[in-house]
């Protein structure tokens, strides 16, 4: 009965107070609360003007009106009920305690605002796949994965650190359970390690609101990497010809398995170890030495070029030039050396420097610019060699024709006129002309033209030649007129006039040795005085052999030399020599020509022996005696097969062909 009265009295008291103006109300309501798993949660609730029943609900479920909340071992209500304090306590908080809580005054019909209890679950230490030692290959991109499992709330953040410095470039990913709750989270760090990363420590940290300091997991990187090579040379700067040692050092994981050396990309045969010794030359400046080192992971190489000091080496020589007069000419040459040589240009035979550098440019060249130009590279250092290269400049211009010395001739004797021609381009023709005609080549009447290559002239004058006009049986008019030598090419023509000098007749008289020619029709053994002077009445045959045993004394008289030293002695016979005055006159006569005057004497024909006309006067078939220039006679005469080179010096002998070797003749055994 007493138990039934207590509630009634409370209701009555509440009614009396209500009539007095005091109604039940909340003095304090619960607020949302965040609590760490395992800690204690306290949700406050205080009422005023209310002494009735107070209870708490969890997600709408009443927990009960008793203070100790039977059935909820971790839950209780605390505070002074008389003063209206009804706080809900939960200890230790578990994940299922996360819910919405409400404080209710049931008899007054009052409800507090709903308070949300959030339970924080700190993350566990993350796991790095492959740890604690992660093996990577240097230079190969790789991913390192850090994973956090469990029911951590809220979802943790995974961070990467190295030496306390946060690393960027990680990819974050979550895996959800079927119920929608977090199953795991992971972070993938992408990196391309190098050999320097071997032994580096990386830290993966799981951090959240439940654990702001986070939890760390560390791993150590174990790098496999190809060799890291350093190559050195001692000495690095060297003179050409000195010895150099190359040293190849390498670090590698796994260890080094082999070395290979190369120079300029070509293998150095026989070199296998970490050291190479060579003798330096200029090629090492541009062809570096390389060392390749290998292991199981891969290979790497390094190269170095020596600073080799050497003298000039010609790389591109100047090329000969041929330009027309008035045009520009440009030469170039390239030298290499270390240090770079100084290049200068000069003209051969002249020390004046025309230009410096790889190019020489000559403006509006003239014939005087023709010649050889020298590109010279001076030594860069003391003791290093220099060098030079040259090229010829040929200036194309009209021919330059010069008269050469021609020996004076005897009347009705042979003569030879010469001119020297330099021309570039080569002359199209060289023409000899005189009063009644002209001749470029071959023979015409008494005239014959021959052409010879000229000896080396001044450089750049173009190809040279000597044109020779031979005259057989000179006439008076030949000594008074001029002979023109003219050359022509595409740029014009040039010419000169050549005159023929006359030599006075020479004769001498001695006791003569007369030699009978077998088969002669004249049997006389002596001759008159006019025979000694070479009279035109001389019927004895005369043969001139152009032999070197004839010479002029200081007075201009012709004297004889006996090359046999008296081997042939013919007693009681007088010898007479007459030059240029015998019938038919002339030391050289061409073959019979239809152009010759009627009644020209018949001469013995030697063409069957030598194939060309001999350059001397031939004896007649009807003559009875042969007058010899000295006590030496010949049974036959063999003419050289060519007239021979022309005379180029004023010292030319009076007989044009005496300067050249005379063919040997069989001796004539004669006894009188």
């Amino acid at each position: 009965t007493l138990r039934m009265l207590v509630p009634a009295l409370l209701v009555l008291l509440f009614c009396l107070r209500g009539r007095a103006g005091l109604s039940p109300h909340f003095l304090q309501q619960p607020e949302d609360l965040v609590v760490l798993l395992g800690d204690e949660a306290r949700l406050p609730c205080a009422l005023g003007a209310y002494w009735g029943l107070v209870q708490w609900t969890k997600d709408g479920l009443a927990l009960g009106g008793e203070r100790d909340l039977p059935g909820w071992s971790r839950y209780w209500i605390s505070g002074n009920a008389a003063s209206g304090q009804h706080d809900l306590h939960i200890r230790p908080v578990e994940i299922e305690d996360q819910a919405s809580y409400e404080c209710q005054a049931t008899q007054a019909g009052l409800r507090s605002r709903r308070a949300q209890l959030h339970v924080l679950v700190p993350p566990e230490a993350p796991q790095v796949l492959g740890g604690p030692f992660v093996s990577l290959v240097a230079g190969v991109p790789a991913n390192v994965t850090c994973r956090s499992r469990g029911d951590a709330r809220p979802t943790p953040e995974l961070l990467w650190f190295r030496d306390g410095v946060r690393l960027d470039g990680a990819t974050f990913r979550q895996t959800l359970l079927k119920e929608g709750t977090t199953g795991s989270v992971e972070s993938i760090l992408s990196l391309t390690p190098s050999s320097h990363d071997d032994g580096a420590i990386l830290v993966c940290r799981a951090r959240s609101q439940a654990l702001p300091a986070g939890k760390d997991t560390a791993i150590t990187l174990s790098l496999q990497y190809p060799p890291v090579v350093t190559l050195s040379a001692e000495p690095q700067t060297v003179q050409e010809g000195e010895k150099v040692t190359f040293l190849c050092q390498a670090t590698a994981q796994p260890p080094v398995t082999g070395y290979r050396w190369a120079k300029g990309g070509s293998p150095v045969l026989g070199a296998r170890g970490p050291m190479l010794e060579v003798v330096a030359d200029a090629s090492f400046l541009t062809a570096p030495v390389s060392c390749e080192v290998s292991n199981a992971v891969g290979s790497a190489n390094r190269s170095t070029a020596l600073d080799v000091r050497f003298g000039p080496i010609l790389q591109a020589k100047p090329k000969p030039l041929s330009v027309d007069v008035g045009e520009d000419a440009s030469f170039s040459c390239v030298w290499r050396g270390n240090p770079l040589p100084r290049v200068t240009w000069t003209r051969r035979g002249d020390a004046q420097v025309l230009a410096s550098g790889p190019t020489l440019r000559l403006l509006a060249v003239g014939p005087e610019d023709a010649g050889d130009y020298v590109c010279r590279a001076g030594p860069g250092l003391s003791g290093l060699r220099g060098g030079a290269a040259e090229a010829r400049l040929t200036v194309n211009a009209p021919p330059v024709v010069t008269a050469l010395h021609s020996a004076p001739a005897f009347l009705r004797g042979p003569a030879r006129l010469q001119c020297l021609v330099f021309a570039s381009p080569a002359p199209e023709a060289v023409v000899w002309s005189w009063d009644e005609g002209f001749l470029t080549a071959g023979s015409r009447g008494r005239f014959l033209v021959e052409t010879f290559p000229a000896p080396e002239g001044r450089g750049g004058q173009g190809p040279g030649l000597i044109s020779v006009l031979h005259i057989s049986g000179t006439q008076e008019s030949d000594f008074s007129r001029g002979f023109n030598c003219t050359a022509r090419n595409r740029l014009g023509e040039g010419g000169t006039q050549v005159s023929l000098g006359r030599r006075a007749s020479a004769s001498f008289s001695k006791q003569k040795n007369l030699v009978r020619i077998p088969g002669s029709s004249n049997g006389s053994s002596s001759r008159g005085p006019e025979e000694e002077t070479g009279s035109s009445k001389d019927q004895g045959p005369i043969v001139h052999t152009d032999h070197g045993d004839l010479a002029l004394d200081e007075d201009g008289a012709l004297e004889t030399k006996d090359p046999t030293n008296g081997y042939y002695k013919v007693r009681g016979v007088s010898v007479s020599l007459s030059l240029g005055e015998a019938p038919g006159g002339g030391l050289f006569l061409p073959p019979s020509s239809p152009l010759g005057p009627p009644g020209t004497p018949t001469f013995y024909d030697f063409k069957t022996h030598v194939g060309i006309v001999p350059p001397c006067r031939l004896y007649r078939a009807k003559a009875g005696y042969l007058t010899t220039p000295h006590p030496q006679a010949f049974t036959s005469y063999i003419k050289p097969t060519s007239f021979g080179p022309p005379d180029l010096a004023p010292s030319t002998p009076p007989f044009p062909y005496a300067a050249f070797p005379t063919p040997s003749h069989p001796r004539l055994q004669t006894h009188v």
Side-chain angles (χ1 to χ4, degrees):
T1 58
L2 182 59
R3 290 182 178 178
M4 297 177 61
L5 289 175
V6 171
L9 291 174
L10 291 175
V11 172
L12 178 63
L13 181 61
F14 177 76
C15 292
L16 291 175
R17 287 188 176 183
R19 291 189 183 96
L22 295 176
S23 61
H25 57 279
F26 283 102
L27 299 175
Q28 185 179 12
Q29 297 187 52
E31 301 284 345
D32 291 345
L33 181 63
V34 177
V35 63
L36 191 63
L37 180 69
D39 288 351
E40 180 180 336
R42 173 180 170 274
L43 297 173
C45 180
L47 293 165
Y50 180 74
W51 292 274
L53 181 65
V54 175
Q55 68 174 4
W56 285 85
T57 62
K58 174 183 179 183
D59 290 336
L61 177 64
L63 298 180
E66 292 82 1
R67 307 292 284 185
D68 57 355
L69 298 177
W72 302 88
S73 59
R74 296 180 292 108
Y75 290 54
W76 74 93
I77 298 174
S78 68
N80 188 352
S83 60
Q85 194 70 36
H86 306 278
D87 297 339
L88 177 64
H89 292 263
I90 305 172
R91 189 178 63 188
V93 173
E94 296 182 358
I95 292 178
E96 62 266 21
D97 297 331
Q98 182 168 298
S100 176
Y101 292 88
E102 187 178 279
C103 179
Q104 298 178 354
T106 57
Q107 294 170 331
L110 295 176
R111 292 183 176 183
S112 68
R113 71 170 66 94
R114 291 183 177 182
Q116 187 69 35
L117 177 62
H118 297 278
V119 179
L120 300 182
V121 180
E124 299 176 357
Q127 177 188 7
V128 179
L129 302 185
F133 294 96
V134 177
S135 180
L136 302 176
V137 177
V140 178
N143 294 329
V144 182
T145 301
C146 178
R147 183 174 296 167
S148 176
R149 293 184 177 274
D151 296 326
R153 298 185 184 185
T155 301
E157 178 184 20
L158 299 179
L159 304 175
W160 289 94
F161 294 87
R162 177 176 178 175
D163 299 330
V165 179
R166 181 175 173 177
L167 302 178
D168 297 326
T171 302
F172 182 78
R173 185 173 64 184
Q174 284 186 341
T175 301
L176 302 178
L177 298 177
K178 293 181 180 181
E179 306 83 66
T181 60
T182 302
S184 67
V185 294
E186 62 183 26
S187 177
I188 301 174
L189 177 65
S190 299
L191 72 162
T192 302
S194 68
S195 59
H196 302 292
D197 296 324
D198 187 38
I201 297 176
L202 302 183
V203 173
C204 179
R205 178 174 298 168
R207 187 179 67 180
S208 71
Q209 184 181 357
L211 189 62
K215 286 189 176 180
D216 295 343
T217 298
I219 61 168
T220 301
L221 297 182
S222 176
L223 267 295
Q224 290 187 345
Y225 52 91
V228 178
V229 182
T230 58
L231 179 61
S232 61
E234 183 60 36
Q236 190 72 37
T237 300
V238 62
Q239 292 280 354
E240 186 177 22
E242 293 182 352
K243 182 180 291 186
V244 179
T245 301
F246 293 91
L247 181 61
C248 185
Q249 297 175 309
T251 58
Q253 182 62 36
V256 171
T257 57
Y259 295 85
R260 189 174 69 173
W261 292 88
K263 176 194 172 188
S266 300
V268 179
L269 301 180
R272 292 289 183 268
M275 184 179 296
L276 175 67
E277 289 188 351
V278 299
V279 176
D281 58 33
S283 64
F284 284 89
L285 187 66
T286 54
V289 172
S290 62
C291 172
E292 183 179 87
V293 186
S294 304
N295 70 351
V297 175
S299 62
N301 70 75
R302 288 291 181 272
S303 62
T304 184
L306 292 178
D307 183 16
V308 182
R309 301 301 180 96
F310 59 93
I313 297 176
L314 182 63
Q315 285 190 305
K317 64 182 301 183
K319 297 180 179 179
L321 294 178
S322 177
V323 299
D324 290 351
V325 63
E327 295 182 350
D328 296 345
S330 180
F331 292 99
S332 64
C333 70
V334 178
W335 293 87
R336 62 185 290 256
N338 187 27
L340 194 65
R342 179 177 180 268
V343 179
T344 57
W345 290 87
T346 59
R347 190 168 180 173
R348 188 205 283 179
D350 190 349
Q352 180 182 0
V353 176
L354 303 177
S356 297
T359 302
L360 170 64
R361 185 173 178 84
L362 303 175
L363 303 178
V365 298
E368 68 279 1
D369 295 314
D372 295 319
Y373 289 85
V374 182
C375 172
R376 194 179 309 278
L381 291 177
S382 177
L384 297 181
R385 67 183 185 277
E390 65 180 42
R392 174 163 294 181
L393 173 62
T394 300
V395 179
N396 299 324
V400 176
V401 183
T402 306
L404 295 179
H405 167 75
S406 298
F410 293 103
L411 178 64
R412 291 189 289 277
R416 178 163 60 178
L417 303 178
Q418 306 170 121
C419 68
L420 174 63
V421 180
F422 280 111
S424 177
E428 301 165 3
V430 178
V431 181
W432 284 93
S433 60
W434 55 95
D435 294 341
E436 69 269 16
F438 65 91
L439 188 61
T440 59
S443 63
R444 178 182 178 184
R446 298 180 300 114
F447 301 96
L448 172 68
V449 171
E450 284 189 309
T451 302
F452 300 89
E456 183 70 20
R458 186 167 63 88
Q461 286 184 311
L465 56 87
I466 295 176
S467 182
V468 182
L469 176 65
H470 297 274
I471 306 174
S472 65
T474 58
Q475 300 175 358
E476 286 288 350
S477 60
D478 295 335
F479 298 102
S480 59
R481 63 184 168 189
F483 292 86
N484 295 316
C485 178
T486 306
R488 181 180 64 252
N489 64 10
R490 65 177 176 82
L491 296 175
E493 67 177 32
T496 188
Q497 188 176 75
V498 186
S499 297
L500 178 61
R502 181 169 182 171
R503 179 184 294 274
S505 297
S507 65
F508 63 90
S509 177
K510 284 188 178 182
Q511 180 67 30
K512 304 178 183 61
N513 295 326
L514 299 181
V515 180
R516 176 71 177 182
I517 299 177
S520 171
S521 61
N522 190 339
S524 63
S525 60
S526 63
R527 307 189 63 177
E530 61 181 10
E531 293 174 346
E532 299 180 7
T533 60
S535 168
S536 60
K537 298 178 182 179
D538 180 13
Q539 299 299 315
I542 298 177
V543 174
H544 177 67
T545 64
D546 280 346
H547 202 276
D549 298 334
L550 298 177
L552 291 176
D553 59 18
E554 295 180 354
D555 298 329
L558 188 65
E559 65 178 7
T560 61
K561 300 176 183 178
D562 182 8
T564 64
N565 294 322
Y567 181 83
Y568 296 108
K569 297 290 186 178
V570 181
R571 298 193 180 107
V573 180
S574 63
V575 177
S576 176
L577 173 63
S578 178
L579 299 177
E581 298 181 4
L587 297 178
F588 170 76
L589 289 177
S592 301
S593 170
L595 300 178
T600 302
T602 303
F603 295 90
Y604 185 83
D605 188 4
F606 271 74
K607 290 189 290 184
T608 57
H609 297 279
V610 296
I612 63 173
V613 179
C616 64
R617 202 183 81 176
L618 306 177
Y619 61 81
R620 288 169 296 185
K622 294 182 179 182
Y625 291 91
L626 171 66
T627 304
T628 60
H630 49 71
Q632 178 179 5
F634 305 106
T635 58
S636 65
Y637 176 81
I638 301 176
K639 177 191 175 296
T641 57
S642 169
F643 290 114
D647 303 325
L648 298 180
S651 59
T652 305
F655 296 96
Y657 306 102
F660 303 102
T662 303
S664 61
H665 304 281
R667 292 171 176 170
L668 176 63
Q669 303 284 343
T670 304
H671 300 277
V672 178

